[in-house]
Amino acid sequence: MPTVAARAQPPLAFIPPQFNPVVLQSLRYVMPWWIRWRTHLAQIQAEDVERLVSAYQQFQAGQTRVLIAFRHPSPDDAFCLAYLLWYLLPQKARRLKGAIAGTPHIHFIYDRGIPLWAGQWLGWLYSRLGGTPIQRGKVDIMGLRSARQLFVNGQFPLAAAPEGANNGHSEVVSPLEPGIAQLGFWCVEDLRKAQREQAVMILPLGIQYHYVQPPWQAVAQLLTQLEAESGLSHAIEAGQMQRLAAPLRERYPLPEVATALYARLLRLGEHLLSQMENYYREFYHVALSPLEATADDFNTHLAQRLDRLLSAALAVAEAYFKVTPQGSVIDRCRRIEQAGWDWIYRDELQADKAVSAVERGLADRIAEEASLRMWHMRLVESFVAVTGRYVLEKPTVERFAETVLLLRDTVARIQGRNPFPRPQLGRQRVQMRLGEPLFVSDRATAYRQNRRQAVADLTADLQAALERLILP
């Protein structure tokens, strides 16, 4: 998450991919150590890797162009993807006696904003690994041209997260952005123009996290911390606990620790919602009238209030930047982000242009203001995948932990802190699954007849394919 910009900056420069095999081999050598140092991943496994072996063999034989569309539930996904490609894939190929030349690798698309908050060194590293950046909130001509070129002519398959950003949920796929489907059809067109007979394949990849040992105590401790920071006591009245935990008790034979945590989780969520509703009501004059709650569906009530609050938060930022509120929540977030960047990264501040001290000072004030207004959008980003019934539908420790961590992100942002890196609640194992490939080439006729519908259909099919990869 970008922090408040102290000063206006020159325009964001495009970071061209500059693949360096020495960087790849160096990183491959240290990756197991880096995973142990930077993550709590105890085990990384993958199913149906033979599909990836086949895709690489076809790619290297010049028969296909391949895009790996991977789920993005966590910041640790990059480590998992690297481990899959550099270790699990070659092992599987050797067992199948299938030849894969060299070290399996990918070109990949990443958000241009990542180096802004994670460090400029990461932009350098991603570039040398063959990555290409994209600015998500506008028609990024250079970014799209680079991704399109890599898909058609890159020396490796391309990889991208069609959800656009990590959503914090192992078992919920956020609405997909249409860019992956569009890239697929562009690749088909570009190959046809070049009179190349290669097929275009999108290979879905699911990524799911599980705790090795259920970290109930760590979840409870983090919840206690959030309650204290939010002005709540961790003690909860017996009557309130009975009322809030009743829907869970009626469905599942859970231990008392789980039902107690569930009641506290709902209470904290409702408390934070009330605080934020009052905040927008009082200081931004947003009309948020009380919603009637039914005793038998408190979760749905909270979800309705959350949806309304997120829309109100986006409206505050949209009004400031004069951005028209249209499309999905994700679409609205991207346009706000780009509007803020346009006010922070200014054309008139390029090195070859003279700027007076007063002009510089005014630009800095605008940059500060834009960053503060983008805060509303960052708040919304954390909750894109929240449904209000995630824990109730399946009260596993993973779903408890993911929900508490999202609330922790919100509390951190409210206090003006960067929520990353997140606290580690326990050792995790990762399960990846390769899905059946989607052949974009087979849809070329449909695309020529109705481009928008073909892109929408492929996006919907990819969404369904990724959802099927979630383990029950």
Side-chain angles (χ1 to χ4, degrees), residues 322-334:
K322 305 299 183 193
V323 172
T324 302
Q326 61 183 13
S328 67
V329 170
I330 294 174
D331 294 335
R332 294 171 69 185
C333 285
R334 296 289 74 78

Side-chain angles (χ1 to χ4, degrees), residues 108-157:
F108 55 94
I109 302 172
Y110 66 94
D111 175 15
R112 179 61 180 86
I114 291 177
L116 301 181
W117 59 266
Q120 297 300 326
W121 66 273
L122 201 57
W124 181 94
L125 179 63
Y126 282 175
S127 172
R128 270 63 184 181
L129 288 175
T132 188
I134 194 79
Q135 293 189 40
R136 299 178 297 177
K138 70 173 187 177
V139 180
D140 182 359
I141 300 299
M142 292 189 69
L144 289 173
R145 183 183 296 130
S146 177
R148 188 169 176 170
Q149 172 66 19
L150 288 174
F151 199 177
V152 176
N153 295 313
Q155 66 183 102
F156 308 112

